[in-house]
Amino acid sequence: MASTGPRIPGRSAAAVPVRWRKEVERILITDRQIARRIRQMSREIQREFKGREMVVVSLLNGTVMFLADLIRNFSLPLRLDFMGVSSYGAGTESGDLVVTKELRLDVRGRDVLLVDDILDTGKTLYRVLGKIRALKPRRIRTCVLLNKAERRTENVKADYIGFEIPDFFVVGYGLDFAESYRNLPFVGVLHPHVYKLGCQKINTVPKKKTRKTNKKVGAGMRRQNHLDRRKP
Ligand code: IMP
Ligand code: MG
């Protein structure tokens, strides 16, 4: 049943496209590697779910690209729903979990495929699995594009894993840093200078428009502009 993905080394030969070079240090997984691996995963998952009533539950927002590519390879009938769970503020360390969207489909007695972008500490999957189990599905299988096994703090495993990656903070192919970079077609490692920009300020709306807070927003906007300049 379960499959572990190929182990990705810290380097790849692929060059970062020029327009991303100032922000993305290197490409970890290319778009072609991703596409090939997702086709394999789809086949394995289909074999296991054949003849069952499948409900795909995907976690927002990081799974957008992975989910779309995964399910377009399925030829079995399925229903799709989303849960919103956010574990990061604007930084790179796991914070408190906030449920931003609850499941709407009834999964009782159904076979659920839970899809997430990356399994890191495991807090997100652990909590979401608890919520879904309480809804009494027939069974749940978990599927993640990336696994950072060395970061795990919770006792949780994924049944299907796209790639095993080292402990880098990665962006692209749906994964973000401070809500940016989701649109990159590859998975890459950010330049450390991007973290140092203090991105907490970027997406923060000031509570009061005092002279002081306006100044802070101005600084944040300048940083945001710096990031936006590099967008296609
Ligand atoms: P966990 O709860 O620590 O396992 O983290 C899972 C969530 O954190 C994922 O669904 C991602 O949204 C986010 N995350 C973890 N590691 C990374 C990363 O390297 N880049 C971007 N997002 C990440
Ligand atoms: Mg996520």
Side-chain angles (χ1 to χ4, degrees):
M1 183 255 311
S3 78
T4 299
R7 191 168 291 280
I8 294 292
R11 303 241 153 234
S12 124
V16 177
V18 177
R19 69 178 187 277
W20 294 111
R21 221 163 268 172
K22 288 205 172 135
E23 288 153 68
V24 177
E25 197 173 74
R26 62 185 179 278
I27 291 182
L28 212 53
I29 315 173
T30 65
D31 51 351
R32 291 183 64 169
Q33 286 175 301
I34 294 171
R36 198 178 320 130
R37 178 70 189 128
I38 289 180
R39 281 196 297 272
Q40 290 172 351
M41 291 172 85
S42 304
R43 278 196 295 272
E44 289 165 16
I45 294 169
Q46 281 219 117
R47 265 199 296 274
E48 196 187 350
F49 279 80
K50 205 169 172 200
R52 306 300 318 170
E53 287 195 68
M54 184 191 211
V55 180
V56 177
V57 175
S58 197
L59 302 190
L60 295 169
N61 298 333
T63 56
V64 277
M65 293 211 196
F66 176 41
L67 172 78
D69 288 342
L70 186 75
I71 67 173
R72 91 179 69 215
N73 281 296
F74 288 157
S75 53
L76 45 77
L78 61 86
R79 294 186 305 150
L80 175 63
D81 202 357
F82 295 92
M83 276 182 75
V85 189
S86 175
S87 64
Y88 286 104
T92 60
E93 282 306 311
S94 238
D96 286 339
L97 284 181
V98 183
V99 176
T100 55
K101 187 203 170 293
E102 296 282 356
L103 204 60
R104 293 192 57 203
L105 285 183
D106 183 8
V107 297
R108 181 178 287 265
R110 313 265 184 206
D111 288 38
V112 171
L113 180 70
L114 177 60
V115 180
D116 201 6
D117 50 3
I118 183 166
L119 183 50
D120 186 30
T121 63
K123 287 180 187 153
T124 306
L125 223 52
Y126 186 83
R127 168 131 177 231
V128 171
L129 277 170
K131 281 176 86 75
I132 298 179
R133 276 192 195 114
L135 302 171
K136 306 267 188 289
R138 178 174 170 271
R139 68 176 168 182
I140 312 176
R141 292 289 181 258
T142 47
C143 169
V144 295
L145 177 70
L146 307 173
N147 184 32
K148 276 199 250 178
E150 59 193 276
R151 292 254 310 161
R152 197 82 77 256
T153 59
E154 309 302 310
N155 184 16
V156 57
K157 282 189 192 140
D159 298 303
Y160 296 95
I161 294 169
F163 301 93
E164 302 283 343
I165 64 165
D167 181 13
F168 297 125
F169 191 83
V170 290
V171 293
Y173 199 70
L175 291 119
D176 74 306
F177 174 65
E179 294 303 328
S180 291
Y181 308 105
R182 293 196 196 274
N183 56 318
L184 305 190
F186 51 80
V187 173
V189 180
L190 273 189
H191 267 302
H193 77 80
V194 178
Y195 305 131
K196 290 182 194 146
L197 288 174
C199 284
Q200 281 84 346
K201 292 204 176 81
I202 288 177
N203 297 317
T204 307
V205 179
K207 284 201 179 89
K208 278 186 196 162
K209 285 198 170 183
T210 62
R211 274 179 85 81
K212 210 174 160 196
T213 49
N214 280 341
K215 260 189 206 159
K216 274 190 188 161
V217 174
M221 289 307 289
R222 278 195 295 281
R223 291 185 193 103
Q224 180 69 74
N225 290 341
H226 166 85
L227 294 173
D228 286 347
R229 270 210 307 276
R230 315 229 62 81
K231 285 186 178 170

